[in-house]
């Protein structure tokens, strides 16, 4: 029995995949992006002929990877289901028409790139152009379900959770009828998780079925020839325990081996460079990492940032370093509210500084850098216009320029404990501080996620190289300098006052050269 395999360490991951440690990943809604480029240039554009200047813009942001969300084919059933809810999409796109609704990106008809997006050949051209600029490509994989008109429903009904006619009659929102290749009608369950109603545009795959696992491994191998990594949707749903809980015996007996070690090892046997990112909730991050994922969503950190839980964040950051290195952090994505809505502009800056400079991966979302407020449904292919926020964009430009420096990827990270400057002042507890150190470089990061002016002294006793010299302390976020004595810093620490929702990225520059 091989129920689990260890997650690769950051060093092992870099050695075996060529991925940089602590990568910055940018999620693009592919349909929306290409439609925006088409409207701007008044011509047809696919992935094969994205203007060079647009790819240069991605490189200028210093992203390590681009996640093209929603490239896979959405069939007629997916689109027809989505068209029933056009009225709900009007809050995001008031002038929506049926042409704007291709259907959900997560009710996949086939793992083939949509021809309107450029097809497989167009994706290959786009990937090669990203690679020329040092950017890797991530695509989606949905293990739990497919669209209700996927070819497997006719060819392999045994791959699905099945019901009886009485189930369809009693629970029409949970099951649907579909003919097989022999003409026999089967009752098949819609995809779902154990806590919410079914997704009516999906068909539930049986993660315990051996033939299905083999077919999914083959699918992953094919996808792996087209990208460098996969973001796996709701990855915890196919673990043996969760799947058995959801389907209560309808799936049959759980296999001895877990789903993910089986399919990930098959994919990596052909494509060892593949990086696997798990969308995971319910405190199952450790479990998914133990089953072979390189990174898992850090939803706990997201919740604590939104709730201003500074002490919870500090406790979180005292976890095992190997675990911290395997988190992927975000303050928005296509499932969560826009950061401008949940945090606003000032809080967002502090939160973004945190997620982009901690060990582990950081995920940024199309529109986040411009301060967009409208959250787009994954069923539509066009976004409404919104006013630009140039000061926020300028902030992100500085942040990502700094976060691209080698010290954040090759250096060692350590939490720092801010202390009080005066005995009666307890605002030092509001500050989150840590350092990055490399052989010839170092940074101190200080973030205030509260609405209170906060003061602290940050001990630097182990920065012995500061002794004897005058230094300029350069703040990369605020583009400012301050003068310091190295000996005074070693003795009294770095004393500072941080504004509400303020953040600083400090680098020491020797005045003596």
């Amino acid at each position: 029995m091989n129920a689990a395999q260890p997650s690769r360490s950051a060093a092992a991951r870099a050695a075996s995949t060529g991925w940089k440690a602590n990568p910055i990943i940018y999620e693009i809604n592919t349909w929306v992006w290409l439609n925006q480029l088409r409207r701007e240039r008044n011509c047809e554009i696919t992935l094969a002929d994205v203007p060079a200047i647009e790819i240069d813009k991605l490189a200028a942001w210093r992203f390590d990877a681009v996640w093209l969300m929603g490239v896979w084919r959405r069939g007629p059933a997916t689109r027809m289901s989505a068209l029933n809810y056009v009225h709900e999409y009007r809050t995001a796109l008031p002038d929506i028409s049926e042409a704007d609704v291709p259907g959900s990106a997560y009710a996949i008809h086939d793992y083939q790139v949509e021809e309107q997006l450029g097809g497989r050949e167009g994706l290959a051209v786009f990937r090669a152009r990203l690679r020329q600029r040092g950017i890797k490509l991530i695509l989606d994989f949905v293990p739990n379900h497919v669209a209700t008109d996927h070819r497997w429903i006719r060819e392999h009904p045994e791959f699905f959770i099945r019901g009886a006619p009485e189930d369809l009659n009693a629970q029409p929102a949970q099951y649907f009828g579909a003919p097989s290749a022999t003409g026999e009608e089967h009752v098949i369950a819609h995809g779902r998780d154990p806590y919410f109603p079914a997704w009516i545009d999906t068909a539930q795959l049986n993660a315990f079925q051996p033939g299905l696992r083999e077919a999914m491994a083959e699918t992953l191998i094919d996808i792996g020839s087209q990208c460098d990594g996969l973001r796996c949707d709701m990855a915890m749903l196919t673990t043996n325990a969760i799947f058995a809980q959801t389907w209560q015996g309808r799936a049959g007996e759980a296999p001895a081996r877990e789903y993910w070690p089986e399919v990930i090892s098959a994919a990596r046997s052909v494509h060892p460079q593949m990086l696997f990112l798990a969308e995971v909730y319910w405190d199952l991050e450790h479990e998914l990492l133990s089953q072979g994922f390189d990174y898992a969503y850090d939803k706990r950190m997201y919740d604590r940032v939104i709730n201003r839980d500074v002490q919870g964040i500090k406790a979180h950051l005292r976890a095992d370093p190997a675990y911290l290195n395997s988190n992927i952090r975000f303050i928005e994505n296509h499932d969560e509210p826009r950061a401008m809505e949940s945090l606003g502009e000032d809080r967002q800056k502090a939160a973004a500084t945190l997620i982009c400079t901690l060990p582990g991966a950081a995920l940024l979302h199309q529109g986040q850098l411009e301060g967009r407020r409208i959250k787009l449904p994954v069923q539509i292919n066009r976004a409404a216009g919104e006013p630009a926020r140039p000061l926020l964009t300028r902030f992100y430009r500085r942040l990502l320029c700094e976060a691209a420096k080698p010290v954040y990827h090759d250096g060692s990270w350590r939490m720092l404990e801010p202390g009080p400057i005066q005995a009666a002042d307890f605002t030092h507890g509001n500050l989150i501080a840590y350092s990055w150190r490399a052989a010839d470089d170092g940074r101190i990061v200080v973030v205030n996620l509260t609405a209170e002016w906060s003061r602290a002294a940050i001990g630097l006793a182990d920065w012995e190289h500061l002794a004897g010299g005058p230094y300029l302390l350069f703040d990369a976020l605020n583009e400012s300098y301050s003068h310091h004595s190295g000996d005074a810093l070693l003795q009294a620490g770095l004393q500072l006052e941080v504004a509400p929702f303020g953040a600083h990225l400090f680098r020491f520059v020797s005045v003596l050269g």
Side-chain angles (χ1 to χ4, degrees):
M1 175 179 174
N2 182 10
Q5 60 187 41
S7 176
R8 297 181 284 193
S9 69
R13 187 186 301 134
S16 61
T17 67
W19 279 79
K20 181 189 295 185
N22 311 323
I24 305 290
I25 300 168
Y26 185 57
E27 177 188 2
I28 291 176
N29 183 320
T30 314
W31 273 101
V32 171
W33 185 52
L34 291 181
N35 273 339
Q36 176 183 330
L37 296 181
R38 290 164 183 159
R39 292 195 307 275
E40 290 172 353
R41 289 163 175 79
N42 195 29
C43 65
E44 187 61 28
I45 294 175
T46 70
L47 290 170
D49 43 36
V50 171
I53 190 173
E54 298 300 331
I55 301 180
D56 289 340
K57 287 179 183 177
L58 296 174
W61 281 107
R62 295 172 172 81
F63 300 129
D64 298 301
V66 164
W67 163 21
L68 285 185
M69 190 275 287
V71 303
W72 305 123
R73 188 173 298 158
R74 313 173 200 190
T78 297
R79 183 166 187 266
M80 290 303 295
S81 178
L83 287 173
N84 291 319
Y85 302 94
V86 170
H87 60 286
E88 295 183 3
Y89 312 145
R90 293 193 188 282
T91 55
L93 188 62
D95 62 340
I96 193 169
S97 70
E98 290 192 358
D100 300 316
V101 186
S104 172
Y106 294 94
I108 295 171
H109 176 75
D110 195 7
Y111 282 97
Q112 299 295 327
V113 181
E114 288 274 10
E115 290 302 322
Q116 293 180 65
L117 301 178
R120 189 182 187 110
E121 296 76 15
L123 179 67
V125 171
F126 183 75
R127 182 190 183 192
R129 295 172 71 194
L130 287 180
R131 183 179 294 171
Q132 290 171 356
R133 293 160 175 82
I135 302 173
K136 295 186 181 294
L137 177 64
I138 295 172
L139 300 176
D140 288 304
F141 177 63
V142 184
N144 187 66
H145 49 263
V146 293
T148 55
D149 55 358
H150 193 284
R151 61 183 175 82
W152 284 346
I153 291 173
R154 293 180 59 83
E155 299 171 6
H156 293 285
E158 71 277 8
F159 286 0
F160 296 87
I161 296 292
R162 311 253 299 271
E166 52 267 31
D167 295 316
L168 179 58
N169 292 332
Q171 303 177 74
Q174 304 290 330
Y175 293 88
F176 68 101
S180 69
T182 63
E184 177 186 2
E185 181 164 276
H186 297 284
V187 174
I188 293 175
H190 287 300
R192 67 180 178 90
D193 73 20
Y195 303 114
F196 292 95
W199 302 296
I200 62 170
D201 54 354
T202 68
Q204 178 64 56
L205 296 166
N206 185 350
F208 290 171
Q209 215 278 339
L212 182 277
R213 288 189 175 193
E214 183 178 346
M216 290 302 250
E218 292 174 358
T219 300
L220 282 178
I221 290 170
D222 184 53
I223 296 173
S225 66
Q226 302 174 69
C227 65
D228 305 290
L230 284 179
R231 180 266 190 187
C232 299
D233 185 69
M234 298 288 282
M236 69 285 181
L237 294 184
T238 53
T239 61
N240 283 356
I242 297 297
F243 202 76
Q245 175 190 349
T246 305
W247 292 105
Q248 299 291 322
R250 287 189 181 272
E253 186 176 352
R257 194 176 187 192
E258 289 278 359
Y259 176 93
W260 287 113
E262 188 169 334
V263 300
I264 287 176
S265 61
R268 284 195 178 133
S269 68
V270 181
H271 305 294
Q273 89 288 347
M274 285 184 73
L275 202 76
F276 282 83
L277 295 81
E279 181 196 20
V280 53
Y281 305 104
W282 311 333
D283 296 327
L284 289 171
E285 297 87 354
H286 278 287
E287 178 65 25
L288 271 295
L289 291 170
S290 76
Q291 293 189 20
F293 279 92
D294 296 288
Y295 291 100
Y297 270 36
D298 194 350
K299 181 62 161 57
R300 182 177 297 180
M301 174 66 83
Y302 171 82
D303 290 337
R304 285 172 168 165
V305 168
I306 296 298
N307 295 322
R308 307 189 196 188
D309 181 6
V310 174
Q311 301 313 312
I313 292 171
K314 290 182 179 182
H316 192 76
L317 295 179
R318 295 187 185 101
D320 176 25
Y323 175 68
L324 294 179
N325 285 326
S326 297
N327 289 157
I328 180 166
R329 301 186 181 87
F330 49 87
I331 54 173
E332 72 167 68
N333 57 52
H334 70 262
D335 289 314
E336 305 293 350
R338 288 288 194 178
M340 278 299 298
E341 286 295 301
S342 60
L343 295 168
E345 187 162 338
D346 290 338
R347 286 182 65 198
Q348 176 180 174
K349 291 177 181 178
T353 301
L354 188 72
I355 68 162
C356 289
T357 61
L358 283 171
L363 175 63
L364 302 172
H365 182 214
Q366 178 186 9
Q368 178 179 343
L369 311 179
E370 298 79 26
R372 283 183 169 266
R373 289 186 177 274
I374 299 174
K375 179 178 180 291
L376 297 182
V378 296
Q379 293 87 354
I380 69 175
N381 62 18
R382 183 167 64 89
E386 292 190 56
R389 292 181 171 83
L391 292 180
L392 181 64
T393 302
R394 184 169 180 265
F395 159 81
Y396 271 111
R397 187 76 67 183
R398 292 197 301 268
L399 172 61
L400 294 180
C401 180
E402 171 66 16
K405 297 292 193 296
V407 67
Y408 297 99
H409 305 278
D410 305 325
S412 60
W413 176 88
R414 186 168 74 86
M415 277 282 286
L416 300 175
E417 296 295 338
I421 295 178
Q422 297 177 340
D425 187 348
F426 300 102
T427 59
H428 64 280
N430 295 335
L431 301 181
I432 301 166
Y434 45 91
S435 65
W436 284 97
R437 302 283 297 277
D440 58 351
D441 201 1
R443 298 290 191 278
I444 294 175
V445 182
V446 184
V447 175
N448 182 6
L449 294 177
T450 77
E452 186 176 15
W453 280 93
S454 301
R455 291 154 293 279
I458 298 174
L460 300 175
D462 60 339
W463 290 58
E464 299 89 349
H465 66 283
L466 297 177
Y471 283 87
L472 291 176
L473 192 59
F474 176 63
D475 182 350
L477 275 187
N478 300 291
E479 298 179 323
S480 62
Y481 284 95
S482 57
H483 292 265
H484 296 268
S485 159
D487 292 333
L489 287 168
L490 289 172
Q491 182 177 358
L494 173 62
Q495 299 190 15
L496 72 164
E497 184 174 38
V498 184
F501 312 123
H504 301 278
L505 297 178
F506 291 124
R507 173 169 59 92
F508 291 100
V509 181
S510 174
V511 174
L512 302 177

